[in-house]
């Protein structure tokens, strides 16, 4: 390519980058981390190795080297009279040399010095106990800790004043909903909250202890905006032993995604305690509606006005419907009512007991809260409860059952 007189030579961007960024030959890169070294706190980075020429020197180069060595020795002798504090880097050069060699031989455990979100969101102290006899899970929320110094785990400030208004909420997974949410009180303007508060889930069965996970979330309450998430931890309930208290001091983590493949039609709406007894003298099935716990709130005031209906299906004459009294403004009603179904013992294997919970409303249709079916076609705890009733005549068998938003038998109120 010819260049006219007075015209500036043009350089392509590739040539420009090669000139500015790659002034010499490109060396192979062993690891990208060589360009971004990480060192444990308190230790200075090691100086790189000095690469020298290991081959024999020519006579001319030997003479030049000797002259240079003599000059360097004279300079070192002159400077040795100066105090070391004037040249601190020279004073510690001799001591750092073996230290650098040791550091090259033994790689530090840099993973111990990570400082990601999981170490800055905070830690939470709590304890869990499964009361097998009473089917209750006791969750005692103790306290959270402030990070002092910076790299210790502690609670993350959320407000502009550098503090938080933290509270703790609990969910049972899968099937998380407002019905099974429990929460502590809110503590204001603190990074060292101490709750010492016990929250209890009632109606927890052995089946729940195998398949359920407790999610514990710490949030910051905000009166003018949405409450902010700080961190969470999850405990599989199968880690707990019956009737034993287990203490935890867990690091809070980022919010984990909820499994969206979970069947939303089986969203939990609360728990119900039902008793079954077959009376051989009267040849009837006695169904007891004892209580409900953690019902879903259906009214604007955050409560419900629940009542329970029972059916023994199939019901050709439609005379098997029974209904409890309405309990006003509560999510944990106690009914303690019993209903009798005249039926032969041999026919129980062909029947299904359907139990539904409703929210009573004046002037409009009642809201369905949740339901459960017991019988030969059920499974899990519901099937086991039905079989226990058949095996143990004249004995009252009480069990907790989970209410779901699936309407049994497509019943209408």
């Amino acid at each position: 390519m010819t260049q006219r007189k007075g015209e500036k030579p043009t350089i392509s961007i590739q040539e420009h980058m090669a000139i500015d960024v790659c002034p010499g030959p490109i060396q192979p890169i062993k690891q990208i981390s060589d360009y971004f070294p990480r060192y444990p706190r308190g230790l200075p980075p090691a100086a790189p190795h000095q690469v020298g020429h290991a081959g024999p020197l020519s006579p001319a180069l030997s003479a030049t080297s000797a002259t240079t060595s003599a000059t360097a020795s004279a300079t070192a002798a002159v400077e040795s009279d100066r105090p070391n504090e004037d040249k601190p880097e020279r004073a510690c050069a001799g001591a750092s040399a073996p230290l650098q060699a040791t550091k090259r031989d033994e790689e530090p455990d840099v993973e111990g010095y990570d400082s990601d979100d999981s170490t800055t969101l905070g830690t939470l102290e709590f304890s869990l106990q499964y009361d097998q006899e009473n089917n209750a899970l006791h969750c005692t929320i103790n306290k959270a800790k402030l990070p002092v110094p910076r790299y210790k785990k502690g609670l993350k400030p959320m407000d502009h004043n550098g503090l938080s208004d933290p509270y703790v909420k609990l969910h049972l997974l899968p099937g998380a909903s407002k019905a099974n949410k429990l929460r502590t009180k809110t503590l204001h303007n603190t990074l060292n909250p101490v709750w010492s508060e016990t929250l209890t889930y009632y109606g927890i069965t052995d089946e729940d202890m195998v398949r359920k996970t407790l999610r514990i979330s710490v949030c910051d309450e905000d009166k003018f905006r949405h409450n902010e998430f700080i961190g969470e931890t999850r405990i599989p309930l199968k880690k707990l032993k019956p009737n034993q208290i287990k203490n935890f001091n867990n690091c809070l983590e980022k919010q984990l995604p909820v499994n969206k493949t979970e069947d939303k039609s089986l969203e939990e709406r609360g728990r119900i305690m039902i008793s079954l007894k077959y009376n051989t003298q009267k040849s009837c099935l006695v169904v007891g509606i004892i209580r409900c716990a953690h019902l879903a709130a259906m009214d604007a005031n955050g409560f419900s006005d629940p009542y329970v209906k029972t059916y023994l299906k199939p019901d050709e004459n439609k005379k098997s419907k029974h209904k409890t009294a309405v309990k006003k403004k509560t999510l944990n009603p106690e009914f303690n009512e019993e209903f009798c179904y005249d039926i032969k013992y041999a026919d129980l294997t062909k029947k299904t007991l359907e139990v539904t919970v409703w929210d009573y409303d004046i002037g409009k249709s009642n809201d369905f809260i949740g339901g459960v079916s017991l019988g030969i076609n059920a499974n899990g705890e519901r099937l086991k409860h039905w079989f226990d009733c058949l095996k143990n005549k004249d004995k009252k068998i009480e069990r907790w059952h989970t209410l779901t938003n699936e309407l049994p038998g497509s019943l209408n109120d």
Side-chain angles (χ1 to χ4, degrees):
M1 179 178 179
T2 59
Q3 181 178 346
R4 298 179 181 178
K5 186 177 182 181
E7 183 180 3
K8 294 183 179 180
T10 59
I11 301 177
S12 67
I13 186 63
Q14 290 84 358
E15 294 174 329
H16 174 77
M17 294 299 295
I19 293 173
D20 289 351
V21 180
C22 303
I26 299 176
Q27 300 295 332
I29 300 175
K30 294 182 179 181
Q31 290 183 349
I32 194 65
S33 60
D34 293 342
Y35 285 86
F36 304 91
R38 300 170 65 186
Y39 306 97
R41 298 190 297 276
L43 295 179
H49 288 280
Q50 296 294 333
V51 181
H53 195 281
L57 297 176
S58 64
L61 290 177
S62 300
T64 306
S65 176
T67 306
T68 305
S69 301
T71 306
S73 301
T75 305
V78 173
E79 291 187 354
S80 62
D81 297 333
R82 300 179 183 177
N84 286 336
E85 54 271 14
D86 293 341
K87 299 289 183 179
E89 65 279 0
R90 297 185 181 181
C92 65
S96 63
L99 178 61
Q100 294 170 2
T102 304
K103 286 168 59 182
R104 295 189 199 102
D105 297 337
E106 298 181 6
E107 287 294 329
D109 184 13
V110 296
E111 295 299 327
Y113 299 93
D114 281 348
S115 180
D116 54 12
D117 284 345
S118 67
T119 62
T120 57
L121 294 179
T123 56
L124 183 67
E125 293 184 17
F126 59 96
S127 63
L128 302 177
Q129 180 187 15
Y130 172 49
D131 186 351
Q132 190 176 32
E133 181 179 356
N134 297 313
N135 295 104
L137 177 64
H138 304 291
C139 314
T140 301
I141 308 299
N142 295 322
K143 60 182 179 179
K145 286 189 176 180
L146 177 71
V148 180
R150 175 187 172 190
Y151 290 97
K152 282 191 178 180
K153 305 175 181 66
L155 195 60
K156 180 181 178 182
M158 302 296 292
D159 297 340
H160 295 295
N161 58 3
L163 301 174
S164 296
D165 302 320
Y167 67 91
V168 178
K169 63 179 180 179
L170 312 179
H171 283 100
L172 285 175
L173 304 175
S177 64
K178 292 182 179 179
N180 64 27
K181 182 184 76 172
L182 300 178
R183 62 162 288 173
T184 66
K185 59 187 177 183
T186 301
L187 301 180
H188 297 282
N189 297 326
T190 179
L191 292 178
N192 295 285
V194 179
W195 289 280
S196 298
E197 188 173 345
T198 300
L199 306 174
T200 301
Y201 279 106
Y202 294 100
I204 301 297
T205 63
D206 292 340
E207 182 182 2
D208 292 327
M209 297 301 296
V210 173
R211 67 183 186 91
K212 292 285 187 179
T213 296
L214 179 66
R215 178 173 66 186
I216 306 177
S217 306
V218 182
C219 300
D220 174 59
E221 187 176 276
D222 198 323
K223 293 182 179 180
F224 305 103
R225 296 180 297 175
H226 292 292
N227 295 342
E228 297 185 54
F229 174 84
I230 296 178
E232 72 171 34
T233 183
R234 299 187 182 187
I235 305 296
L237 296 185
K238 61 185 178 182
K239 290 186 176 181
L240 304 180
K241 295 181 179 180
N243 305 316
Q244 292 186 12
I245 299 176
K246 187 168 184 179
N247 297 312
F248 297 87
N249 186 6
N250 286 14
C251 181
L252 297 176
E253 302 176 0
K254 291 182 178 180
Q255 192 166 16
L256 301 175
V258 178
N259 187 6
K260 295 183 178 180
T261 61
E262 179 184 332
D263 189 1
K264 294 184 179 180
S265 66
L266 298 180
E267 176 186 339
E268 294 187 4
R269 294 295 189 92
R271 306 289 173 113
I272 184 170
M273 178 181 276
I274 302 173
S275 67
L276 297 178
K277 174 185 174 181
Y278 185 77
N279 191 322
T280 56
Q281 293 181 352
K282 298 181 179 180
S283 298
C284 69
L285 175 67
V286 181
V287 178
I289 305 300
I290 301 173
R291 59 179 295 196
C292 294
H294 316 300
L295 293 180
M298 307 301 291
D299 297 336
N301 58 7
F303 293 96
S304 294
D305 301 321
Y307 67 94
V308 180
K309 295 193 303 181
T310 64
Y311 292 85
L312 193 60
K313 299 287 206 139
D315 183 18
E316 297 177 357
N317 298 325
K318 297 183 179 181
K319 294 182 179 180
S320 68
K321 175 182 175 181
H322 290 283
K323 184 188 298 186
T324 68
V326 177
K327 302 296 180 179
K328 294 289 185 178
K329 199 177 180 181
T330 180
L331 299 179
N332 299 281
E334 293 190 11
F335 298 100
N336 295 315
E337 297 187 34
E338 291 184 345
F339 309 113
C340 292
Y341 290 99
D342 295 328
I343 185 174
K344 295 178 181 180
Y345 177 79
D347 294 337
L348 285 177
T349 56
K350 305 174 184 178
K351 296 291 185 177
T352 298
L353 178 67
E354 294 180 346
V355 181
T356 55
V357 184
W358 299 80
D359 170 52
Y360 178 76
D361 288 322
I362 300 176
K364 60 179 182 178
S365 60
N366 298 331
D367 299 321
F368 173 71
I369 297 178
V372 63
S373 297
L374 308 179
I376 197 69
N377 296 320
N379 52 36
E381 290 289 333
R382 297 169 293 173
L383 178 61
K384 186 176 183 299
H385 192 186
W386 191 257
F387 272 135
D388 288 344
C389 174
L390 297 179
K391 292 178 182 178
N392 301 277
K393 299 177 183 179
D394 297 315
K395 181 179 179 181
K396 181 185 290 187
I397 308 295
E398 295 181 353
R399 293 283 190 278
W400 280 97
H401 297 284
T402 300
L403 298 170
T404 66
N405 64 339
E406 189 175 42
L407 191 63
S410 300
L411 294 173
N412 292 321
D413 187 33

